[in-house]
Amino acid sequence: MSYRKTFFIHRILLSILSLVFILGSVEPTLAERIDSGVPGMIFEQDVPITMTDGVALRVNIYRPEKPGHYPVLMSMGPYGKDSRMDSVPAYSASWARLIAKYPDLCKKSSCRYLRFEEADPERWVPQGYVVIDADSRGAGSSPGMLDPFSPREIDDYATLITWAAHQTWSSGKVGLIGTSYQAINQWMAAARQPEGLAAILPWDGAFDYYREIAFYGGILNPAWKFWWDHQVVPDQNGNGESPLKDMVNGQRTTGEALSAELLKQNRAAPLDAWISHPYDGTFYHERTPDGSRITVPLLCVANWEDWSTAGYMAASSKSKWLRIETGDHLTPFYSEESFDLQKRFFDHFLKDAKNGWDKEPPVSVQVRSPDGTFWKTDATWPLRETQWTRYYLDADNSEMGPDKDGLAATEKSYAAMGDGLTFKTKRFNEDVEFTGPVALKLWVRSSTSDMDIFAALHLIDPEGLEITFTGNTDPHVPADQGFLRVSRRAIDPVKSTNYYSYHPQLATKPMVPGQIYEVDVNFAWPTSVVVPKGYQLALSIQGKDWQYPPSASIVPSKDYVLPFSTNPGLFYAAHPNRDPALYGGTSTVATGVGQASYLLLPLSPSRH
């Protein structure tokens, strides 16, 4: 069934369901009302809400005790609506970083109701909001098939939004809030245009399911298996061995125990699905929103090292803002500055507050430099004053620079699974800022019929040491990273720009060993970096995951990186689909006249 037909059927079902809510029992039968321990806050736990197919999902509702009509903030995810973040083993490192960064966090709140990647109701309810946390289908106390980001899951989210808009304590306006998973599904739900949805605030959430989650540059990302095994499956409904404990009664949060066989039947492992769907198509289209249907006001908060601007660029909302920051996966979301930002946004769109939010610059970016960070604003993304600058590679002397004159045709080879090649600029004679998307044009050949390209951009200080940055999932990341499987090199020029090449990912076209090919490599995220006077930029190119060499002064933190990988970030390519006979050959980069390879950088005039 096509997406359009599915959408209209879903809208009809939602309309019928909404009518039932309006004419029938508006208030649900509550499973249990718990003493919240917070003055002025009512806590209703495990409230059953019936979905369009008759399955009842469970939600927790936190609302002001004083009667009234309040806007709703909602999150839905698979991590456990009943488990405190500080009690879940998988989140111990995240919790430790959060408390180290904000030691007074649990003085402003008991943190009893703080959930991984979700808003703290103790902070929002006193501000006049209802907060709803939902266990997604198949997770926690919600029964059914556990199938992350599936059309069924997003149908459920849209149903919950409309249900919340019709409750007697609701103002009729619903906003979505949350980071990562709880940001990704915001984009999806918004595209359904459910009744009652008034604003979304996706914080660090991917948009394109194929290109930003499953495959980077056509290369499978099996790092998600760790996420699935350690964060999602433990909270599966019916998991009798779950370590997650209810914050109220200390019991398991996953309901009545099911057999191992039934548990397996009730879940769909994403990595298995990706392996069986190697090309972009219906499976991914159902999980990637139609940006033209996202029309609600939105504030997209992105990170320089992880999911970033795709949703903001795709959305058709007339009222939309983009904020790109640096920092780890979790702590920025819970800062005082971030809470104030979130509150101003929602107060404006859910409470009609005249607080000046509509005068906020559309784009705010946190620029990184060796001396710290600073913010600057703009009206557009990429920044309107961006000067796209090519740094041409020279294989003869392993340098790169803005001048291509006099570069003779030459090439250099490397073992694909070895250390690869590194190209360096000369030392900069003044401070220069680069902020925006990064791209790489290469002319390459391989001794085999395929080739993987892993590119990394580095900032090098006058002593030759690399300056790293705090990444979403690692404390030491390079300035940017790019990926491409050369057999997936095809480009759709209509969907491409001068700084981004859209790879349709519809088929594999093997290389002819020894033949040269022109390819375009997208960097996974935009970058922002000030290169001070006396510093250099370096570009590394190799055929395996980028890792800091043993001789580097940088020691990856066990608290951040995946336990089976020493490369920075939440991507690694070590997987059986990487046949050494195919991806372990000899690779060659060609440069110079007739085969100009270059790094495209976003030169940005500094305005701080």
Side-chain angles (χ1 to χ4, degrees):
M1 185 179 296
S2 69
Y3 174 85
R4 185 174 298 275
K5 288 182 180 179
T6 302
F7 173 81
F8 283 117
I9 291 173
H10 177 257
R11 292 290 293 177
I12 292 170
L13 289 172
L14 273 183
S15 298
I16 296 172
L17 187 60
S18 298
L19 187 61
V20 171
F21 286 146
I22 295 171
L23 299 178
S25 176
V26 175
E27 289 285 3
T29 301
L30 301 182
E32 189 173 6
R33 180 172 294 183
I34 307 295
D35 180 6
S36 70
V38 179
M41 185 173 84
I42 293 175
F43 171 36
E44 297 162 346
Q45 186 178 29
D46 264 353
V47 178
I49 312 297
T50 302
M51 300 294 103
T52 55
D53 65 348
V55 173
L57 302 192
R58 299 281 178 161
V59 306
N60 287 349
I61 303 174
Y62 309 83
R63 56 189 178 92
E65 189 174 36
K66 181 180 179 180
H69 303 286
Y70 301 97
V72 177
L73 296 180
M74 183 180 289
S75 297
M76 184 183 76
Y79 300 140
K81 65 176 174 51
D82 297 307
S83 302
R84 289 173 52 139
M85 195 196 311
D86 59 352
S87 69
V88 181
Y91 310 138
S92 59
S94 295
W95 178 257
R97 289 195 300 275
L98 182 60
I99 294 302
K101 181 75 172 179
Y102 306 118
D104 293 335
L105 183 70
C106 293
K107 295 178 182 178
K108 302 176 183 297
S109 159
S110 71
C111 291
R112 177 183 180 184
Y113 305 104
L114 192 59
R115 304 290 175 265
F116 186 65
E117 300 181 348
E118 297 184 5
D120 185 350
E122 282 188 69
R123 303 189 72 180
W124 284 98
V125 171
Q127 303 298 324
Y129 285 88
V130 174
V131 175
I132 298 179
D133 293 340
D135 278 333
S136 57
R137 182 177 294 239
S141 54
S142 292
M145 172 65 71
L146 181 60
D147 190 2
F149 305 122
S150 65
R152 176 69 257 180
E153 182 176 282
I154 306 307
D155 285 350
D156 294 342
Y157 206 177
T159 301
L160 288 173
I161 292 166
T162 299
W163 172 86
H166 284 290
Q167 301 312 295
T168 57
W169 34 253
S170 172
S171 69
K173 290 186 176 182
V174 179
L176 306 184
I177 188 171
T179 183
S180 195
Y181 193 106
Q182 278 79 214
I184 298 170
N185 60 13
Q186 288 184 49
W187 296 116
M188 296 176 169
R192 299 296 180 92
Q193 299 183 344
E195 180 185 355
L197 184 60
I200 62 173
L201 205 165
W203 194 290
D204 193 19
F207 183 84
D208 188 318
Y209 192 83
Y210 184 91
R211 291 161 184 80
E212 294 186 283
I213 295 179
F215 289 82
Y216 282 32
I219 305 173
L220 179 70
N221 184 9
W224 284 88
K225 186 178 188 304
F226 179 83
W227 165 81
W228 176 252
D229 291 342
H230 292 83
Q231 291 182 240
V232 181
V233 172
D235 188 50
Q236 183 181 3
N237 179 255
N239 185 347
E241 299 180 358
S242 173
L244 278 64
K245 303 298 181 184
D246 188 288
M247 60 190 171
V248 175
N249 57 32
Q251 302 300 309
R252 279 189 300 101
T253 63
T254 51
E256 183 178 349
L258 302 176
S259 68
E261 183 62 30
L262 189 54
L263 285 172
K264 187 175 181 180
Q265 293 176 15
N266 283 355
R267 63 178 182 250
L271 185 60
D272 293 343
W274 303 344
I275 292 173
S276 62
H277 297 86
Y279 305 116
D280 197 6
T282 302
F283 176 84
Y284 299 100
H285 296 169
E286 290 178 342
R287 291 157 178 80
T288 298
D290 179 351
S292 69
R293 297 199 57 80
I294 299 176
T295 58
V296 295
L298 68 90
L299 168 58
C300 172
V301 180
N303 191 296
W304 291 123
E305 194 268 332
D306 210 339
W307 303 313
S308 211
T309 60
Y312 173 82
M313 298 293 285
S316 296
S317 304
K318 294 181 179 179
S319 299
K320 64 178 183 178
W321 287 263
L322 173 66
R323 178 182 172 94
I324 313 179
E325 62 183 11
T326 189
D328 65 53
H329 177 69
L330 206 60
T331 56
F333 180 72
Y334 292 103
S335 72
E336 284 294 324
E337 178 190 12
S338 295
F339 178 75
D340 291 342
L341 180 82
Q342 296 160 9
K343 184 176 180 301
R344 285 187 62 226
F345 173 76
F346 282 126
D347 281 355
H348 183 76
F349 288 107
L350 302 188
K351 293 185 174 182
D352 298 319
K354 307 304 181 186
N355 58 11
W357 178 267
D358 53 326
K359 302 299 192 297
E360 281 287 314
V363 177
S364 301
V365 297
Q366 187 176 17
V367 180
R368 305 178 297 185
S369 79
D371 297 327
T373 67
F374 61 88
W375 287 90
K376 70 181 189 181
T377 61
D378 211 316
T380 65
W381 179 260
L383 305 181
R384 65 186 183 278
E385 295 177 354
T386 301
Q387 299 170 13
W388 301 104
T389 305
R390 297 180 179 183
Y391 278 73
Y392 292 91
L393 310 187
D394 185 353
D396 188 47
N397 57 20
S398 299
E399 291 183 351
M400 61 178 180
D403 188 2
K404 70 175 180 178
D405 294 337
L407 293 183
T410 186
E411 57 186 49
K412 185 171 290 187
S413 300
Y414 59 95
M417 294 301 177
D419 294 335
L421 305 179
T422 298
F423 300 85
K424 292 183 178 181
T425 66
K426 297 183 183 300
R427 298 189 187 280
F428 282 65
N429 56 20
E430 62 179 350
D431 292 1
V432 175
E433 177 195 332
F434 297 101
T435 296
V438 178
L440 179 62
K441 167 80 72 175
L442 289 177
W443 291 78
V444 298
R445 67 175 90 244
S446 173
S447 63
T448 69
S449 59
D450 209 348
M451 174 182 175
D452 281 348
I453 296 172
F454 295 79
L457 180 64
H458 313 273
L459 177 62
I460 309 298
D461 74 8
E463 283 70 46
L465 299 177
E466 180 170 0
I467 303 297
T468 61
F469 303 93
T470 300
N472 188 296
T473 55
D474 195 281
H476 302 292
V477 297
D480 209 347
Q481 296 184 76
F483 310 89
L484 179 68
R485 175 155 290 175
V486 177
S487 61
R488 308 285 191 89
R489 61 190 176 275
I491 290 175
D492 181 346
V494 175
K495 295 183 178 181
S496 299
T497 68
N498 64 312
Y499 58 84
Y500 175 77
S501 298
Y502 185 87
H503 300 281
Q505 304 291 355
L506 299 178
T508 295
K509 188 174 183 179
M511 305 171 71
V512 175
Q515 182 172 315
I516 196 166
Y517 293 89
E518 179 184 8
V519 299
D520 295 272
V521 182
N522 291 318
F523 277 63
W525 317 280
T527 192
S528 182
V529 59
V530 172
V531 184
K533 179 180 179 180
Y535 284 61
Q536 299 170 278
L537 287 175
L539 172 70
S540 62
I541 300 171
Q542 54 191 40
K544 62 178 183 178
D545 294 311
W546 165 256
Q547 298 178 357
Y548 290 109
S551 59
S553 59
I554 299 160
V555 180
S557 168
K558 295 297 183 183
D559 289 339
Y560 279 73
V561 298
L562 301 174
F564 40 69
S565 175
T566 57
N567 61 294
L570 190 61
F571 176 91
Y572 82 104
H575 189 267
N577 79 321
R578 294 256 297 163
D579 181 358
L582 188 58
Y583 300 103
T586 298
S587 300
T588 301
V589 172
T591 65
V593 177
Q595 51 190 27
S597 295
Y598 59 83
L599 178 69
L600 184 68
L601 290 175
L603 180 63
S604 178
S606 186
R607 291 183 278 114
H608 69 287

